[in-house]
Amino acid sequence: MRHIRRIVRSLLCEWELEPLTFAVELGVSELVTNVVRHVPDRRCRVVVARQAAGVRAEVSDGFAALPRLETGVGEESEGGRGLALLDAVVDKWGVSPGADGKTVWFECHGGPAPCDGGLSR
């Protein structure tokens, strides 16, 4: 997962969208974690694309079961919070069913900002 976050951080820095780093890294990490936990073959495709208003990320897999936003997750529960967390940090998200699985996507909006090249991390 560390490599995926590093790639996301690098893209956002290159695009001068560093203020979106936390939300996009967290969103992609949560969606890939869902694939690892719930998709039998654990395979997915991750796309992070620059848009005029920010970033769109997509995680596609070959498993038709649609994720659902859990409500009433207990304090002791080790799972069930990923989509609620995603919902809290991104501007919008959704699920697009496909013939061979699904794509879970999200968008984060924001403008360019100076990038320090990752030196402060």
Side-chain angles (χ1 to χ4, degrees):
M1 201 66 69
R2 177 176 29 142
H3 301 296
I4 293 171
R5 287 191 301 268
R6 185 176 294 143
I7 291 167
V8 167
R9 191 176 317 122
S10 176
L11 286 172
L12 293 172
C13 182
E14 181 180 325
W15 296 335
E16 297 180 342
L17 294 172
E18 196 172 40
L20 301 178
T21 301
F22 174 78
V24 178
E25 280 186 13
L26 180 67
V28 170
S29 294
E30 286 298 325
L31 295 182
V32 172
T33 296
N34 283 348
V35 169
V36 171
R37 293 184 86 180
H38 303 292
V39 174
D41 68 4
R42 297 182 174 185
R43 296 178 68 185
C44 67
R45 180 177 55 109
V46 177
V47 175
V48 179
R50 171 119 193 230
Q51 294 186 313
V55 174
R56 178 180 174 99
E58 302 177 351
V59 177
S60 303
D61 62 60
F63 191 52
L66 300 179
R68 28 173 218 189
L69 187 59
E70 298 288 338
T71 57
V73 177
E75 287 182 26
E76 301 297 318
S77 177
E78 291 185 20
R81 293 182 184 83
L83 290 179
L85 190 56
L86 179 72
D87 189 57
V89 300
V90 303
D91 291 298
K92 67 182 187 178
W93 69 275
V95 181
S96 302
D100 296 324
K102 67 184 168 300
T103 298
V104 183
W105 58 269
F106 67 86
E107 294 179 358
C108 292
H109 304 143
C115 180
D116 68 2
L119 298 177
S120 64
R121 299 205 186 279

